[in-house]
Amino acid sequence: MAEQTVAHAIEGLKESNVRITPQRYAILEFLIEHRSHPTADEIFKALESRFPNMSVATIYNNLRKFVEIGIVQEMSYGDAASRFDFGVQKHYHAICTDCGKIEDFFYPGLEDVEMASSELTGYQISEHRLEVYGVCPNCQKKG
Ligand code: ZN
Ligand code: MN
């Protein structure tokens, strides 16, 4: 499954004429295998032993490239570091207020909210994001 997804992502890179470097491959592989919505810093810490010459900035630039191509989504939180999410299928997030774990969930798109908010505000809406907050099953067990 992960293999297939990596191959698919690599196709996306080729189509966009983005050179596939070992670093790029490793970053994609990490995003696909962990699905933890990591920050650039977390990816850096996981890969620095394999690529001693790689900097956080390199990781960040590569992630930006993936976002541009459309194979990765950036989740920005104002001042806090962005998190990166592999995949383009629309989904929403449940975030644990204790440990910070982010879980994907799929739910019918809330396009009617976009329409309603557009009518109410006069904004031309381009996208929406839904995050729900609570305590994850693991943290519930810990009490
Ligand atoms: Zn938790
Ligand atoms: Mn996600």
Side-chain angles (χ1 to χ4, degrees):
M1 176 67 190
E3 281 295 308
Q4 227 174 351
T5 326
V6 175
H8 192 257
I10 296 300
E11 270 315 302
L13 293 187
K14 280 187 193 153
E15 277 165 29
S16 310
N17 292 318
V18 174
R19 207 155 54 86
I20 300 144
T21 62
Q23 285 102 321
R24 282 192 180 139
Y25 191 91
I27 295 168
L28 273 178
E29 200 178 43
F30 184 86
L31 280 170
I32 291 165
E33 279 174 7
H34 291 80
R35 295 297 172 112
S36 54
H37 308 81
T39 62
D41 213 51
E42 284 166 357
I43 299 173
F44 173 72
K45 287 196 180 106
L47 299 182
E48 64 178 337
S49 60
R50 270 167 74 190
F51 303 99
N53 297 321
M54 188 168 61
S55 65
V56 187
T58 310
I59 302 231
Y60 204 75
N61 290 338
N62 280 314
L63 288 166
R64 275 283 152 81
K65 189 111 233 154
F66 297 154
V67 172
E68 230 173 82
I69 298 165
I71 54 173
V72 166
Q73 288 176 57
E74 178 172 359
M75 306 160 61
S76 45
Y77 295 99
D79 287 347
S82 284
R83 298 192 156 272
F84 293 88
D85 197 358
F86 178 79
V88 284
Q89 200 189 346
K90 184 78 188 165
H91 63 271
Y92 300 113
H93 293 118
I95 301 174
C96 180
T97 48
D98 281 6
C99 70
K101 183 172 192 274
I102 303 173
E103 184 86 22
D104 290 341
F105 70 93
F106 295 86
Y107 189 81
L110 303 171
E111 276 71 29
D112 52 329
V113 174
E114 291 195 6
M115 228 182 301
S117 57
S118 178
E119 270 162 32
L120 291 166
T121 63
Y123 276 47
Q124 210 170 42
I125 309 296
S126 52
E127 62 161 341
H128 69 272
R129 199 157 82 178
L130 173 70
E131 281 158 9
V132 296
Y133 293 85
V135 181
C136 78
N138 239 345
C139 289
Q140 288 174 45
K141 272 183 231 151
K142 281 183 242 157

